[in-house]
């Protein structure tokens, strides 16, 4: 292993820069040359690679987004696109690739590794929807962004004795709602993993307000449906004033938290270590506070476990 390349792909996540920095500097520390690929698999197909140096990743550990940029690339999903990418990797004499991204990025990495090229996946996505790892890079920052918004919303919500329905990111995974819900003292969270009952929710909100609570915050993961509609129904059923807030892409931005920076640095190191050890087709992650690597096929097959204890605790503590 002499030359490696690194790319970020799919949705950007705070901490991706810290991961790039770790990959670049740990590679150079180990005597490897390292190339940055612009715009994920798109840049790989187009040959948009540039050698990275120690200063090229200076002053980025604290920045959100990704200096390598990210893109979605349909062409890479076809074998012909991946052949082009493989050709570029050969032209640049790259021996291994670190792909930082989510589920889709890993499927791309798996397909490339099945063509005989060593690839290691690093989980970078705010959704925390990869089952094999307890946390993904960007998730903690995103939860903190939501918490900050919820804290601000509490001021206005309590002043007007209202209900706030806040839509957060998470298509198939309700973890952002779950963690921000527990940390933010939400009345309830509505997530794709648990069927929700509008009547029960309305009853709970009404009884909480009747016992003297001056505000209720409800977090809705976007995959469940329209927060606007839930808000309207809640207003009709409870007779309380309710407002919707859709947080949107703000959840993707901002300076990464210490947790994300530390995780990204450790996972970046682990990915390079895997390549140096001659491993391929692996993903790195964290489980029970330990940095691990595992087979990418197995990782993608694993079923997500939703933390029902946390979900129940939110409801218990809101009463
Ligand atoms: P996020 O979870 O933040 O959305 P992601 O990595 O899942 O991130 P995707 O857009 O799903 O984001 O995937 C990123 C890129 O990975 C795609 O644009 C495509 O180039 C590649 N990709 C996705 N699925 C496959 C697949 N089945 N085979 C090959 N490449 C794929």
């Amino acid at each position: 292993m002499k030359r490696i390349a690194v790319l970020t792909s799919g949705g950007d996540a705070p901490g991706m820069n810290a991961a790039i920095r770790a990959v670049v500097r740990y590679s150079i520390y180990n005597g490897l040359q390292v190339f940055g690929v612009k715009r994920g698999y798109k840049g790989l197909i187009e040959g948009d690679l540039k050698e990275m140096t120690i200063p090229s990743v200076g002053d980025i550990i604290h920045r959100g987004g990704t200096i390598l940029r990210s893109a979605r690339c349909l062409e890479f999903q076809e074998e012909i696109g991946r052949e082009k990418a493989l050709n570029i990797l050969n032209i640049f004499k790259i021996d291994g690739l670190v792909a930082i991204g989510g589920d889709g990025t890993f499927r791309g990495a798996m397909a490339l590794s099945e063509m005989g090229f060593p690839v290691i996946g690093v989980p970078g996505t705010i959704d925390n929807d990869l089952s094999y790892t307890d946390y993904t890079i960007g998730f903690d920052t995103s939860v903190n962004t939501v918490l900050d918004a919820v804290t601000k919303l509490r001021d206005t919500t309590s002043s007007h004795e209202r209900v706030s329905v806040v839509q957060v990111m998470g298509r198939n995974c309700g973890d952002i709602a779950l963690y921000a819900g527990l940390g933010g003292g939400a009345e309830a969270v509505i997530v794709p993993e648990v069927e929700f009952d509008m009547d029960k929710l309305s009853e709970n909100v009404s009884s909480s307000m009747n016992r003297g609570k001056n505000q209720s915050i409800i977090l809705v993961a976007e995959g469940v449906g329209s927060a606007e509609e839930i808000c309207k129904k809640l207003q009709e059923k409870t007779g309380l004033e309710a407002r919707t807030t859709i947080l949107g892409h703000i959840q993707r931005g901002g300076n990464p938290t210490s947790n994300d920076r530390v995780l990204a640095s450790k996972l970046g190191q682990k990915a390079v270590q895997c390549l140096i050890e001659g491993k391929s087709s692996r993903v790195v992650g964290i489980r029970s506070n330990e940095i691990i690597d595992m087979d990418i096929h197995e990782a993608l097959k694993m079923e997500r476990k939703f933390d029902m204890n946390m979900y129940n605790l939110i409801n218990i503590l809101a009463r």
Side-chain angles (χ1 to χ4, degrees):
M1 189 66 50
K2 287 198 177 114
R3 278 187 173 197
I4 70 161
V6 56
L7 59 79
T8 49
S9 154
D12 67 317
M16 278 183 163
N17 279 330
I20 296 167
R21 172 180 178 270
V23 168
V24 169
R25 292 198 171 162
Y26 194 68
S27 296
I28 294 172
Y29 172 80
N30 283 284
L32 306 177
Q33 263 184 304
V34 54
F35 285 70
V37 184
K38 278 280 171 81
R39 296 177 194 82
Y41 296 127
K42 185 170 186 288
L44 197 54
I45 288 174
E46 291 166 357
D48 199 353
L49 281 76
K50 212 174 115 194
E51 186 167 0
M52 310 282 284
T53 58
I54 287 176
S56 72
V57 289
D59 204 24
I60 64 165
I61 192 166
H62 59 300
R63 291 184 207 280
T66 158
I67 58 160
L68 290 176
R69 311 278 182 261
S70 191
R72 316 251 181 205
C73 174
L74 284 179
E75 203 183 346
F76 195 77
Q77 298 194 22
E78 308 293 327
E79 187 150 357
I80 183 132
R82 292 195 295 276
E83 293 282 2
K84 279 191 204 169
L86 205 54
N87 189 37
I88 295 290
L89 288 163
N90 288 332
I91 290 171
F92 278 84
K93 299 190 165 54
I94 306 291
D95 306 308
L97 175 69
V98 175
I100 307 168
D103 177 77
T105 302
F106 283 7
R107 287 188 196 283
M110 188 166 76
L112 195 61
S113 70
E114 277 164 4
M115 293 162 88
F117 194 84
V119 190
I120 308 292
V122 174
T125 169
I126 63 163
D127 293 339
N128 210 35
D129 58 352
L130 294 164
S131 333
Y132 78 94
T133 182
D134 292 344
Y135 299 106
T136 57
I137 298 165
F139 171 66
D140 187 62
T141 306
S142 189
V143 168
N144 277 285
T145 300
V146 175
L147 273 181
D148 184 47
V150 166
T151 303
K152 286 178 173 141
L153 276 169
R154 268 178 176 271
D155 290 343
T156 174
T157 309
S158 60
S159 300
H160 289 269
E161 295 169 291
R162 280 180 183 149
V163 179
S164 258
V165 180
V166 186
Q167 183 178 306
V168 301
M169 282 193 172
R171 272 164 294 167
N172 308 309
C173 174
D175 276 12
I176 293 181
L178 186 71
Y179 280 68
L182 186 55
E187 174 70 32
V189 296
I190 305 177
V191 292
E193 293 88 345
V194 187
E195 216 176 310
F196 98 100
D197 178 340
M198 192 69 216
D199 291 330
K200 183 98 188 82
L201 177 69
S202 308
E203 262 172 45
N204 286 344
V205 170
S206 295
S207 77
S208 289
M209 295 299 261
N210 287 339
R211 72 148 163 86
K213 199 166 167 165
N214 56 8
Q215 48 72 38
S216 266
I217 308 273
I218 293 154
L219 297 184
V220 182
E222 65 183 344
V224 174
S226 159
E228 199 87 61
E229 262 170 43
I230 292 171
C231 183
K232 227 197 268 169
K233 278 192 197 144
L234 202 62
Q235 197 159 255
E236 281 164 17
K237 283 185 184 284
T238 60
L240 293 160
E241 254 193 278
R243 294 285 185 276
T244 313
T245 304
I246 297 172
L247 294 181
H249 278 95
I250 196 170
Q251 295 162 88
R252 286 253 191 92
N255 301 342
T257 58
S258 59
N259 280 344
D260 274 332
R261 296 181 203 192
V262 169
L263 180 65
S265 303
K266 287 182 177 178
L267 294 181
Q269 177 196 33
K270 184 72 172 177
V272 175
Q273 258 171 1
C274 285
L275 286 175
I276 291 172
E277 286 163 16
K279 292 181 178 171
S280 174
S281 207
R282 311 283 294 173
V283 286
V284 296
I286 185 161
R287 252 203 249 146
S288 306
N289 228 10
E290 203 186 310
I291 300 297
I292 53 123
D293 65 280
M294 75 179 288
D295 179 74
I296 195 165
H297 301 80
E298 266 178 51
L300 287 174
K301 269 194 271 170
M302 277 174 75
E303 265 194 43
R304 274 201 66 247
K305 273 199 203 107
F306 182 73
D307 193 336
M308 270 318 279
N309 288 336
M310 262 178 89
Y311 180 86
N312 291 332
L313 187 58
I314 291 169
N315 291 314
I316 292 166
L317 299 184
R319 302 279 94 77

